[in-house]
Amino acid sequence: MSEAKPQDGSTVKGYRTLSHGEIGKMNQFKELSRQFIQLLREHAGDISPNATQDWESVEWIRKAEMDIKVACMSACRSVSRPDADC
């Protein structure tokens, strides 16, 4: 898993400096997202791709993973409140 380098808001255009609490909240959202994705992948490992319904289950898992990533990004943007044009 890669870790983003800390930013103070001054080096990324369109972002403001975040408080310690805001950074903590964003890290909580990201940790919950990682846990959810890990659970999804464990569930996917339990599926044997032999039947049509199994492939459909895998597709739903892929969709759930993408949706949680979008939800995490949206939650983080709600905290960071970047400029409207980025």
Side-chain angles (χ1 to χ4, degrees):
M1 174 179 9
S2 66
E3 290 292 325
K5 293 181 180 176
Q7 299 288 327
D8 66 7
S10 65
T11 58
V12 180
K13 293 181 189 232
Y15 286 85
R16 62 188 176 78
T17 301
L18 300 175
S19 72
H20 183 70
E22 290 169 324
I23 292 168
K25 184 59 67 180
M26 289 175 68
N27 285 331
Q28 285 179 304
F29 287 139
K30 290 179 179 198
E31 182 56 31
L32 287 170
S33 177
R34 286 183 185 106
Q35 290 173 10
F36 188 84
I37 289 169
Q38 180 181 354
L39 183 60
L40 281 172
R41 289 177 179 174
E42 289 170 6
H43 174 58
D46 294 338
I47 296 172
S48 173
N50 294 327
T52 302
Q53 68 266 21
D54 293 339
W55 282 108
E56 186 175 353
S57 291
V58 170
E59 289 301 314
W60 280 112
I61 290 168
R62 287 185 181 139
K63 179 170 178 13
E65 183 173 336
M66 183 56 65
D67 289 350
I68 195 67
K69 289 177 180 179
V70 171
C72 181
M73 179 183 64
S74 298
C76 287
R77 286 181 66 93
S78 77
V79 174
S80 66
R81 298 185 310 276
D83 291 348
D85 62 347
C86 65

